[in-house]
Structure formats: C-alpha cells, structure tokens
Amino acid sequence: MLKKKQKKRQNDNLRQQQDPQKPEELPILRDYQENISRIKEEFGSSTDIVFREIGFSKDRGTIVYVDGLADNQMISEFFLETLTEDTKIEEVDSFQWMLNMATGLGSVKTIKNWNDVYDAILSGNTVIFLDGYNKAINVETKGWEKRAISEPTTQLSIRGPKDSFTETLRTNTALIRRRIKSPNLWLETMKIGTVSQTDIGLMYIKGIANEKIVKEVKERLNRIEIDSIIASGFIEQLIEDQTWTTFPTTFHSERPDVVVSHLLEGRIAIIVDGTPFVLTAPAIFIQFFQAADDYYSRFDISTGIRLLRILAFFIALIGPSTYIAATTFHQEMIPTTMAIAIAAQRESVPFPAFVEALIMEVTFEILREAGLRLPRAVGQAVSIVGALVIGQAAVQAGFVSPVMVIVVSITAIANFSTPVFAMAIAARLLRFVLMGLATILGFYGIMLGLMFMTIHLCSLRSFGIPYMSPLAPFNIRNQQDIFVRFPIWAMKNRPMFISKGNMARTGENQKPEPPKQEDNQPTNGEQ
C-alpha cells in the first residue's frame, strides 16, 4: 500500500514538471508537504502566511491562512480545539470527514488547482491540505478589520439616512439589499486585476434594468486588462464612453439610498472592493444636479432648490468671463453709476481684467487645494483666513480691484452648490476657457464657447444613452424629474430612456385626498 502511494506521488510530480500549463492551473499534489513547500516558495516565506500542523487518528495535514485576513479566533476554536482532541476515524474517508467537520464554520468547498488555492488564501479563507489527497478544503474564515458604517462626508443630507458605504464589498451589498428586499436584485461578482485580483460586484434589478445595457457593462468590464484596481475611479476611466471630456459620464456616490434610487430607475451599480464610492451607469447631465434631499422634501421646495443649483452652476461657469467681457468690450451694457464705480476702482490696477481675474482664480484654486490636503482642523482655517487675508492684501496693494474679489468669491460659492464634486470640477476647468474667449471676443466669445459646450454635451453618450436625455432628444413624457420635480404620486413611470422593463412606478389613484364627507356628519355651517 505504501509503495502504491509513493508511486502515485512520483507520477504526480513528473506530470506537473511536464505539464505545459501555467503553474497556477496545475493540480494539487498528493504529498501535502510538497504543497506546503510550493506555497512557501510562491509567497517568498512571507511572515503573515501562517502554517499550522494538524493531526487526527493516523492522518496528517496542514492549515494555511493569512494573519490579519482570517478570523484567528474562529480558527483557534475549531482547528486547535476540536481537531486536537483524540479523534478516531474508522472506515471513514479522512477528507470527507474533515469536509463534514468544517461545514459548521460556514461555506466549505473542495478545490483542486493552485489558482483556487492562492485565491482562497488571499481572500481571508483557510485552506486545509491532507496527506495523500490531490485536493484541498477551502473554509470561509474571513475576519479582517473593517471601518464601521459612518455618516457620509461628501454628500450630506438633512432628512435622509445617515449611513454610507464602506471599503468592504459585502457590507456595501448588504446596505443595498437592506433597502431592496426583492429576489430580482441580482448580484454578479468578478475579479479584475492580474496582480491585485480586486473583487468587483455588479448589481441590477432583473426586469427593470435594460438587458442591453447590462450586457454592455459586462463586456466592458471583461475587456479590462490591468495589473491592479485600487479604487472605483480606475473602473470609471476604463469603461466610460468618452475620454476627452471634462464632464463625468458615470455617477459615483457614497450614499446607499442614492444608489438604490438609481437601481430602481433601471441603472446598474458597480461596487469595487476597497472603496466607499459605488458607480452607477448610465448617467445623464441633469442627474448631477439632483440631491438626495430633493425626494425627502415637498416637490415645490425641491424644485426651487434644484433650479437654484442649476443657476449657481451657470454663475460658476460664466461669472468671471461675464465681468471680463462687460468691462473690456461692452461697457455700454453696464449702468453708468456702476461703470464709474468700477472704473474708479480699477484706476490703480496695472493689469487688464483677464490677468486680474486669472490671478484671483488661480490663487483661490491653490487655497482650495491646500485646504483639502491639509489636516481637517488646519485646512478650514487656511482656506477661509487665507482667502480673506490675501484678498484684502491684494486690494490694498493695487493688484486687483474690490469688485473682482466679489466676483471671484460669488463664483466660488456658486461652485460649491453643485451636489456632485465631479460636475463642479468640470465647471472650474471650463471657466478658464470661457475667460480666455471673453478676453478675445467679449460676449460673442462666451456665446461661442457655450454653443460648443452644448454641442459637445449632446454628442456624449453614457453606455449608449444620450448624455442630455431627455432634453436632447426631447421626450415630454420623461420631464417629471428634470428641472421641475413632480410630486411623488405624479411620477408614475420610470425613465423610458434607461429602463426597458417594468415601467410602472406607482399604482392608480395615488394622489392625496381629504377623507370623504359622511352623510351623517354635519358640514361646515350646519348646527
């Protein structure tokens, strides 16, 4: 019997040496000591890879896991207490017995090649090798440290939920499933990154999401060939329709309620392990001006605030360029009293309006970037006090006029009103282009720049969906949540340009009504 086992091991070793496959695709050897040696060689004897010998009855084996990724307490309680007892196995297959014992820990499965072994170990699982078997047992023992669910930091809400995504994939999927308790919410996982092997989750609602868009998202994800995916921003840059644009064509959010609302509209969510921001696609232009509080407040209040955000976006976009054009080319459009006041303020300024605006804009952008990179307690003081001190000193030194400080300040405050940071950055970049056009052509340059921007926006696509939908092409049936947010009971259908499945959102007769007057109750004025 012993000679037969030795012969099998020799044949296995010879077959692996002659096998032209990749090393990761090779099968596991029967000699568990050879398997352990291979792992130590592959991992370079890394000190966080733990090997523990186990023995029961007449069989031997070794458990392998990564310290910090696996739950040490779970492993100690099971493997070191249960299996070290005097266990007698008679006429029972040792591998099957171990497989049955490990079932009490959770998910257990058999693996037969090295690719699965490496994936299991680096995912926080424990792999059990037994002597004489060319397969191993993969026991789910994930237990790494993770950040607790906290309040969102970039997309705040007054009345909405206070939880946000974390860096753990399973925590994020649980936050979504907690809000959508439907079996039609499907989750598909994959690994991207030849080195990092990052877990990616694809979530959508079957029957509501457009199958063509789902297929397109899968194809783009499967085409990715890169060594590592560190954050969702990597995925965003690799699957977007258009690279040469400042406008974001995929939406990202750290709020579970926002992602859930997008899923219910027929969009697809892409969850990346290791980042608290979840991507949703397809995305449209007006979507970046919709905040979570728009749906937690009355429709009239939400509509007014949304229109204010859109107005603030255009102020942030054309504020300095309008000042430059008016003071350089179109003085006749300024009221006389104001024109005299502006001229008096700029009398001692040695620079033209464009250079004056450029100095202030660049200075403010540097202060804003410094405020973001410094520690939180110091960053706010630097951004606020620095702007006040530098602005006042620049006015007193005669480098800029007081009215220019006002224009730049209003522009910066208006830029903060955009709910999504990615769209606010687009306005900040295009602002400098419009300032240059206003310096050369005045208001004609501004209008020319806005025309080209509109044409560019209409040419963009997000997974085949027009970026300016439903404005261009115009669809009157999908105007319920664009500039004016209709009441919840009036938003009966999902966006037709996204969802191709179940379009019904609400039932019939959802409009709030007062209780009907009973015949035996007195009406107003009756005694």
Side-chain angles (χ1 to χ4, degrees), residues 50 52 65-80 126 141-144:
V50 180
R52 291 190 177 180
Y65 62 92
V66 178
D67 187 20
L69 294 182
D71 190 339
N72 289 326
Q73 183 178 358
M74 180 189 299
I75 296 171
S76 299
E77 290 178 355
F78 177 76
F79 292 104
L80 301 185
T126 299
T141 56
K142 296 182 179 70
W144 55 73

Side-chain angles (χ1 to χ4, degrees), residues 169-307:
L169 176 67
R170 280 291 170 255
T171 302
N172 296 341
T173 57
L175 289 173
I176 296 175
R177 285 201 180 274
R178 180 184 174 187
R179 290 169 167 83
I180 303 180
K181 300 179 179 67
S182 171
N184 292 327
L185 178 60
W186 288 11
L187 171 64
E188 301 180 18
T189 58
M190 62 186 72
K191 291 184 180 295
I192 300 179
T194 55
V195 177
S196 65
Q197 291 289 303
T198 306
D199 292 318
I200 308 294
L202 190 70
M203 294 193 80
Y204 59 94
I205 301 178
K206 182 70 173 179
I208 295 179
N210 190 338
E211 294 295 337
K212 293 183 179 179
I213 299 179
V214 174
K215 183 180 178 181
E216 179 67 23
V217 173
K218 292 180 183 178
E219 290 179 354
R220 295 190 187 187
L221 290 174
N222 291 327
R223 286 201 303 263
I224 296 177
E225 293 183 4
I226 193 172
D227 58 349
S228 65
I229 297 293
I230 301 176
S232 58
F234 283 56
I235 298 292
E236 181 180 3
Q237 298 176 58
L238 292 170
I239 65 174
E240 59 186 358
D241 289 54
Q242 179 62 258
T243 300
W244 305 107
T245 179
T246 59
F247 295 97
T249 54
T250 56
F251 191 90
H252 64 270
S253 176
E254 64 172 343
R255 297 185 60 90
D257 55 332
V258 173
V259 174
V260 166
S261 65
H262 292 175
L263 289 172
L264 292 172
E265 289 182 346
R267 292 182 171 90
I268 297 97
I270 303 173
I271 309 170
V272 180
D273 189 31
T275 178
F277 288 91
V278 174
L279 302 177
T280 58
I284 59 174
F285 178 76
I286 198 64
Q287 178 182 347
F288 294 89
F289 299 95
Q290 299 171 349
D293 279 327
D294 289 354
Y295 306 94
Y296 304 141
S297 305
R298 289 179 52 85
F299 75 96
D300 48 356
I301 299 174
S302 301
T303 299
I305 295 176
R306 182 177 297 179
L307 293 175

Side-chain angles (χ1 to χ4, degrees), residues 323 340-353 356 359 392-403:
Y323 172 79
I340 294 174
I342 293 175
Q345 293 177 7
R346 298 196 69 256
E347 185 177 1
S348 60
V349 177
F351 305 111
E356 184 184 6
I359 291 174
Q392 182 67 24
V395 170
Q396 292 180 353
F399 285 103
V400 296
S401 60
V403 66

